[in-house]
Amino acid sequence: MTTVTLQHLTRRFGNVAAVNALSLEIQSGEMVAFLGPSGCGKTTTLRMIVGLLLPSGGDILFDGKSMLTVPTEKRGAVMVFQKHLLFPTLTIAQNVGFGLRMRGLPQNEIAARVTEMLELVHLPGFENRRAHELSGGQQQRVALARGLIIRPRVLLLDEPLANLDANLRLEMRELIRSIQQELKITSIFVTHDQEEAVMLADRVALMFDGVLQQFDAPRVFYERPLNAAIARFYRSENFLSGIKRGSQVETALGTLRVTSSDAQPDGPVLLTVRPEDVAIGAGPDNNRITAKVTAVVYMGTHTQLQLNVDGRAWRAEGPADFTAQPGDTLSVHLPDKRIWLLPTES
Ligand code: ATP
């Protein structure tokens, strides 16, 4: 059980800070996702934690002890890569047992632990096969077993599901989550997929351009994003400018009541509501604004509406049988408990 602390962790390549003063603490046994668009510094952070890359500044601590001078093999962190990189000439048992052979464990103990690990990743009886005789998903599970067999303090997964098809991704997600919970290993995985982060992580560290934006439980990113860029990353562009006065926001479309009034000081704010929380059709009379329908898309389980709200493009979701035409004017209700206030964008 290991707590991982990053303190002002920085890595520069030339003039570019790939990771910029990243500070966060990952609790023992926690599963954290590093999430963000391509190039935001996720993999660079992982490589520094495992010891494959030296930081330009800051510190990495395991249980309060700095790892900066501790070599990779002594840190007790293992990294499972996007490409499984199994040794092609070795059997699956030899691949999985590799780390234990390097540590000089007796042959019978290695064999017993290999069997145990292959059962854990749902590949019992695969000992004598070779990598080319396995599917991509099976190879990824062998790579996971190879990492876990040394009983690492910290498990680092770099987009472990990126090369798998949709069904296998789902299967592997569930497997990784159940193994992580069973073994309670402090784990970090890198992804650029919000859905994957929501399903797998206890907490998500969202990064843009090497800078940590928000570190919270997955649902907080939907309900309480810290800024408009984060809301956008979570696929919500529903913004409306206003002036906050106490628990009310005055907008060009009328005054709205809010319950999240402590989120921002009085003055100019950006108000946001998730598409699934915009109530179209019948509903309470209060907190209503006028929206113009610009597109209607039938999605099978629901209808998606594109709206124009005070010149901004909004999205809303209605029941599957909701009927509207582009050009229609709708009165939509914004539930006060679902309105969230953000700082204005510069
Ligand atoms: P992806 O999701 O595409 O893997 P990422 O968030 O993991 O992206 P990193 O691989 O950490 O991003 O890269 C962060 C930035 O650092 C990028 O701009 C990248 O080009 C740069 N970078 C990474 N490694 C090097 C290197 N060895 N030399 C120079 N620049 C690098």
Side-chain angles (χ1 to χ4, degrees):
M1 301 293 273
T2 302
T3 302
V4 176
T5 312
L6 308 182
Q7 288 176 342
H8 307 290
L9 190 64
T10 299
R11 173 67 207 209
R12 280 182 218 94
F13 294 110
N15 289 334
V16 179
V19 178
N20 199 348
L22 174 61
S23 295
L24 54 82
E25 185 158 293
I26 299 166
Q27 301 304 321
S28 190
E30 197 178 18
M31 179 96 163
V32 162
F34 283 168
L35 175 69
S38 185
C40 73
K42 307 178 294 285
T43 301
T44 302
T45 308
L46 232 51
R47 294 179 69 212
M48 288 192 280
I49 296 172
V50 78
L52 294 175
L53 193 66
L54 275 176
S56 316
D59 207 348
I60 300 158
L61 303 106
F62 288 0
D63 285 335
K65 183 175 180 297
S66 174
M67 289 292 120
L68 291 190
T69 56
V70 178
T72 303
E73 64 280 8
K74 299 249 165 66
R75 290 190 187 187
V78 297
M79 188 151 161
V80 177
F81 294 91
Q82 194 175 114
K83 290 211 183 77
H84 5 86
L85 307 172
L86 301 181
F87 301 113
T89 56
L90 302 185
T91 64
I92 296 307
Q94 288 166 335
N95 265 286
V96 174
F98 188 79
L100 298 185
R101 264 201 317 285
M102 291 290 104
R103 286 168 170 76
L105 263 72
Q107 204 54 45
N108 56 347
E109 189 179 339
I110 297 177
R113 274 170 66 178
V114 166
T115 303
E116 185 192 332
M117 275 301 134
L118 286 177
E119 274 170 15
L120 189 71
V121 297
H122 302 173
L123 289 174
F126 276 63
E127 282 87 344
N128 294 322
R129 293 214 204 172
R130 282 171 210 275
H132 72 271
E133 296 170 306
L134 268 57
S135 70
Q138 290 169 335
Q139 290 185 39
Q140 192 61 304
R141 281 187 271 159
V142 171
L144 185 62
R146 186 175 62 180
L148 289 171
I149 202 165
I150 64 157
R151 297 179 182 155
R153 302 168 75 185
V154 181
L155 176 66
L156 305 165
L157 302 153
D158 189 5
E159 302 232 24
L161 314 179
N163 286 327
L164 306 179
D165 68 38
N167 284 341
L168 269 177
R169 281 175 86 101
L170 209 61
E171 209 177 282
M172 269 298 278
R173 261 184 211 165
E174 284 162 11
L175 182 73
I176 288 175
R177 188 59 171 152
S178 70
I179 290 175
Q180 194 269 338
Q181 283 178 342
E182 187 179 330
L183 304 182
K184 296 193 172 58
I185 301 179
T186 309
S187 307
I188 306 170
F189 73 98
V190 158
T191 182
H192 53 259
D193 179 345
Q194 302 99 311
E195 208 177 273
E196 200 156 285
V198 168
M199 287 186 67
L200 272 174
D202 297 309
R203 281 194 294 171
V204 176
L206 178 64
M207 296 167 72
F208 294 155
D209 293 331
V211 178
L212 181 68
Q213 302 290 312
Q214 189 163 354
F215 184 40
D216 264 314
R219 67 180 307 150
V220 181
F221 286 85
Y222 289 90
E223 297 175 358
R224 302 280 183 258
L226 289 179
N227 59 47
I230 298 171
R232 268 192 205 102
F233 189 77
Y234 276 79
R235 301 197 191 101
S236 178
E237 294 261 1
N238 295 356
F239 303 122
L240 183 61
S241 302
I243 307 286
K244 174 184 167 304
R245 293 190 212 288
S247 59
Q248 297 200 318
V249 178
E250 290 159 17
T251 78
L253 301 176
T255 300
L256 297 167
R257 205 188 116 73
V258 296
T259 50
S260 60
S261 55
D262 52 354
Q264 296 298 328
D266 280 5
V269 289
L270 208 53
L271 169 159
T272 187
V273 187
R274 294 256 349 141
E276 53 274 22
D277 292 327
V278 176
I280 56 176
D285 287 340
N286 66 335
N287 269 22
R288 284 193 166 270
I289 56 169
T290 305
K292 197 155 202 128
V293 178
T294 53
V296 183
V297 187
Y298 174 66
M299 305 289 287
T301 52
H302 64 278
T303 301
Q304 193 177 93
L305 297 179
Q306 284 164 27
L307 306 171
N308 181 324
V309 173
D310 193 31
R312 291 177 185 267
W314 278 44
R315 278 188 302 118
E317 287 173 11
D321 60 358
F322 187 83
T323 50
Q325 300 291 330
D328 285 356
T329 298
L330 295 181
S331 161
V332 302
H333 167 68
L334 306 182
D336 56 355
K337 290 194 176 64
R338 309 304 298 171
I339 295 176
W340 177 241
L341 301 182
L342 301 169
T344 54
E345 288 183 288
S346 49

